[in-house]
Amino acid sequence: MSKFFSISSEWLIGCLISAFAYAFLFYLNGWLTNSWTCDLGVKWIYLPAGLRLFLTLIFGFSGAAGIALASFLISYFGDFPGDLIICIGA
């Protein structure tokens, strides 16, 4: 049981690190490229794209789950408040 707990805690830590890093870089990118916005959510430069690749290569599934969680929360509390279907799709 102890080995299972350590694996799940490692998975959770990887997921949380991925979610926080992705959300931080998303908002930093929004702040840096605010004047270069084409449309709602469309930027000329998107820094988190490289981070997504890095996190999934380093953390695997927990990195991908963290990115998905952060993307959902960014969509739900950001540009599409209350529209659950669009937030899940994003």
Side-chain angles (χ1 to χ4, degrees):
M1 190 68 174
S2 173
K3 184 176 180 181
F4 177 75
F5 182 72
S6 68
I7 290 173
S8 78
S9 67
E10 289 174 6
W11 188 89
L12 182 64
I13 290 170
C15 185
L16 290 176
I17 288 172
S18 298
F20 284 126
Y22 183 76
F24 173 75
L25 196 57
F26 178 84
Y27 286 114
L28 180 67
N29 184 68
W31 178 71
L32 290 174
T33 62
N34 191 22
S35 62
W36 298 336
T37 302
C38 296
D39 201 5
L40 178 65
V42 179
K43 309 268 189 222
W44 282 103
I45 298 172
Y46 190 65
L47 298 175
L51 184 67
R52 285 189 300 211
L53 176 64
F54 177 75
L55 291 173
T56 53
L57 288 175
I58 297 299
F59 293 117
F61 182 71
S62 65
I67 292 167
L69 176 67
S71 296
F72 174 79
L73 292 174
I74 288 168
S75 296
Y76 190 75
F77 293 111
D79 296 333
F80 309 111
D83 196 354
L84 192 59
I85 300 299
I86 291 177
C87 294
I88 289 172

